[in-house]
Amino acid sequence: MRTSVRWINDYLDRPATAEEQADALTAVGLNFDGRETLPDGAIWQEIETTSNRGDCLCHYGLARELAARTKRSLKPPASHSASKASGAKPATGEPASKIIKVTNEEHEGCPRYTARVIRGVKVGPSPVWLQERLRDAGQIPRNNIVDCTNFVLLELGQPTHVFDLATLAGPEIRVRRARAKEVFLPLGEQMAPIELTPADLVIADAKNAVAMAGVKGGAASAVKESTTDIVLEAATFNPSQVRASSRRHRIASDSSKRFERGVHPASIDAAAERLAALILETAGGTLCAGVVEAGAPLPPPRIVSMRKARCRRILGAEIADEEMTGTLQTLGFAPKAKGDLLECTVPPQRMDIEREVDLIEEVIRLIGLERVPTGESIQIRTAAPDAKMEAGERLRDTLAGMDFVECVTHALISDASANAMLHPPLAALRIEDERAGGTPCLRPSVLPGLLATRKINEDRGAIDSLRLFEIASIFHLNAAKEHRESVSLGMIADAAKEEEGYRSLRGVIERLAHEIAAKPARFAPTASDSVMHPAAEISIDGAVIGRIGFLTPAVRQAFGLEKPLIAAEVALESLLKHWPPERPAAALPSMPSVERDLSLILGNEKTWAEVEGVILRSRPAHLESLSFTGTYKGKQTGADRKSLTLRLVFRDAARTLRREEIDLEVQALVKTLQAELGAELRA
């Protein structure tokens, strides 16, 4: 909240500097968050308040906290006119009840509504002192009537509103629910008409809504230069109701901010009287007799007791009885000593005080947390990071770095989607709940959710090389009809070009294997099924951890997807068991390497795994590493053959290798490949 230093000082018996105010308020839990000096020398400061301290969203509330902390005296709001009266002038007009009728149909949404009437006001500029205070707090002065309502809001924290009496049909005020599709134009230069719903609470006249309760006044009943008779509204509204309407229509205001934190029905009258006095002081007029109100009876004052001995025991500090009593007295709790017990009447504005421990917190908050003794040291033991959590974060970071977007999809899917992912003897796990509707099966695979997400994004045009993944639990019944649950990693990606799509997703999986296990992932062709064709098994250290393959047209058609897609699903437990990875350290080589690229002509049925296996079994003496470079098919190779290119890296740790040595090793390797695979060296 933006606060004025001089405005807060209006309520203190001796002024406090900006630094004193910031330090004292921060000490009691209302943090200072910056200040600025205005051209006229006035200083404003930003003071943060917690959501349970709506009583501090005003200058008088902050002054109360300051007085209690700094041993100052709190002064009540006073008139700025020649008269010293601080309350409303005596009502000399006719009874307000003969002028305005108030009906409250929603006591739960509006516990109390009050209306006062002033006749004969003159709308014009506010006095200088009032404009200064509003500008200090970041407000723009409008006219004396509107400025008085803003002043009371910022002074006492009670939102009020003023209606032009001549615009109210009846004249009548009705607190009711909005009608379906009722149109309402809020106050404000940039505001447009909105359509209300029966979930909204409104203030209406005999015909139409004239304000959205607790949120915003209406343009039709606003005070104008020609206004002479006004109705003063002071009320309280249900915080949840105000919050819901504010969010629903995306309209927030200073009033809604305070009502959302709670305004006690017993706080209304003091603010209404203060508003009436200010309007009479700045705009003249005659106050009509009486208050027209409607609502539930005022709740009785809350009594909360605190044991002085328990306060000392919990805080671990020796605090004198007189100090406890004086602190609570300054905050308005009116404590009464009954032996060891302090019986406190909670002031209406302190809606956050409910239990004994709340009072204990008030005591230590005001006398200072530095009074609580603390040990010079504390023993702590840092828990080791959870391995699975750490591995999961690494996996997500790695996938995000390769342009994958994480999804969170529903665990329930349709029978058709579940059965498409399973093969006998496994079966889908169904739930017996009517609320499941057309999705009664727990997913046996992560892929259906990803495909549905892909379809939604495709329909919305967001399909620019969209790569999706999800980590989630999957379920099925085994052959013995036993429930099985595991965690799976699913991935899908575009595969417009078959070979390119496969290599791309395979590279992703190889990267994950390197990050999580520091071991190579192996891929071996496996039998196709109704989900993937062709498909391959993924393994690490000889153990199968998942499958990769192109989604069949039937699967894509079931989800309304036309473009080719490649998918993979990995058993997460099988992958994460390798975490943390063991990465052996080795000195960087000091001798240069020699690289040789070989292009081999092979039959189409020969795989990279076979080539790699032959080379590793007959490993040349100086071979350091080998890697796949690419394949080529064309006229030069023939229809049933392909060219496979690989790179060999040779090195000796102690000396520089000669070309002749490498030539001999490469020649021997080529002969082995010819003998075992029928490979020919491409010219």
Side-chain angles (χ1 to χ4, degrees), residues 88-381:
K89 294 179 181 179
T92 57
E94 60 184 306
S97 58
K98 291 186 177 181
I99 301 171
I100 188 80
K101 177 184 177 183
V102 175
T103 305
N104 187 349
E105 301 174 6
E106 296 287 338
H107 289 186
E108 183 177 347
C110 176
R112 187 168 181 239
Y113 188 97
T114 68
R116 289 166 169 79
V117 177
I118 299 179
R119 287 190 180 277
V121 299
K122 184 176 181 180
V123 179
S126 298
V128 174
W129 67 265
L130 180 52
Q131 294 190 35
E132 287 178 344
R133 294 300 184 271
L134 293 178
R135 287 196 179 97
D136 287 358
Q139 298 284 322
I140 299 174
R142 305 291 183 184
N143 59 57
N144 46 7
I145 305 298
V146 173
D147 292 350
C148 284
T149 64
N150 290 334
F151 183 90
V152 171
L153 172 72
L154 295 171
E155 179 184 58
L156 301 177
Q158 168 69 51
T160 57
H161 189 66
V162 175
F163 298 103
D164 184 336
L165 179 62
T167 65
L168 298 178
E172 180 181 356
I173 290 288
R174 290 180 60 200
V175 183
R176 61 169 172 82
R177 293 281 178 176
R179 305 184 187 100
K181 298 185 178 181
E182 185 171 7
V183 177
F184 170 70
L185 176 60
L187 272 169
E189 295 178 2
Q190 304 298 325
M191 301 303 292
I194 61 174
E195 190 175 275
L196 302 173
T197 74
D200 296 313
L201 188 69
V202 298
I203 310 303
D205 59 15
K207 296 181 179 178
N208 304 308
V210 294
M212 195 187 323
V215 180
K216 202 76 171 176
S221 60
V223 171
K224 303 176 289 292
E225 289 185 6
S226 59
T227 298
T228 56
D229 299 335
I230 58 176
V231 176
L232 279 57
E233 170 193 283
T236 182
F237 302 102
N238 183 288
S240 299
Q241 178 76 50
V242 174
R243 186 179 301 110
S245 290
S246 176
R247 303 297 188 275
R248 185 180 302 113
H249 299 289
R250 298 182 181 179
I251 299 175
S253 64
D254 288 335
S255 294
S256 66
K257 181 178 180 180
R258 284 157 177 81
F259 279 126
E260 287 177 19
R261 285 157 177 78
V263 172
H264 197 282
S267 301
I268 293 172
D269 291 333
E273 290 169 6
R274 175 65 166 159
L275 176 61
L278 286 171
I279 291 176
L280 293 173
E281 178 182 334
T282 60
T286 301
L287 177 65
C288 293
V291 178
V292 187
E293 64 177 288
L298 283 176
R302 282 178 296 139
I303 306 296
V304 179
S305 298
M306 182 186 77
R307 292 163 286 179
K308 291 177 280 188
R310 179 166 176 76
C311 177
R312 281 186 279 265
R313 185 166 63 253
I314 287 180
L315 299 178
E318 283 301 321
I319 304 171
D321 292 358
E322 296 77 12
E323 193 171 13
M324 292 184 198
T325 303
T327 300
L328 294 172
Q329 182 72 47
T330 307
L331 290 173
F333 286 95
K336 294 181 180 179
K338 293 185 177 181
D340 183 55
L341 207 63
L342 279 180
E343 193 175 81
C344 299
T345 301
V346 179
Q349 71 272 10
R350 291 307 302 271
M351 300 177 69
D352 59 312
I353 303 298
E354 298 178 351
R355 303 172 296 165
E356 178 184 43
V357 72
D358 295 333
L359 292 176
I360 295 173
E361 181 184 2
E362 291 299 294
V363 170
I364 194 58
R365 190 174 62 84
L366 271 300
I367 68 173
L369 290 171
E370 63 274 9
R371 296 276 295 273
V372 177
T374 57
E376 294 183 358
S377 63
I378 182 171
Q379 293 183 348
I380 61 172
R381 180 170 59 87

Side-chain angles (χ1 to χ4, degrees), residues 384-400 406 469 471 487 489 511-518 571-581 583:
D386 182 87
K388 288 186 178 180
M389 292 284 291
E390 196 175 36
E393 288 303 312
R394 174 68 66 85
L395 188 148
R396 287 180 170 89
D397 289 345
T398 302
L399 287 170
E406 184 171 9
F469 82 94
I471 298 172
V487 180
L489 162 65
R511 180 65 183 175
L512 291 178
H514 173 76
E515 290 292 326
I516 303 300
L572 201 64
E573 189 69 29
S574 300
L575 176 61
L576 297 189
K577 73 178 183 180
H578 296 282
W579 180 270
R583 303 185 190 276

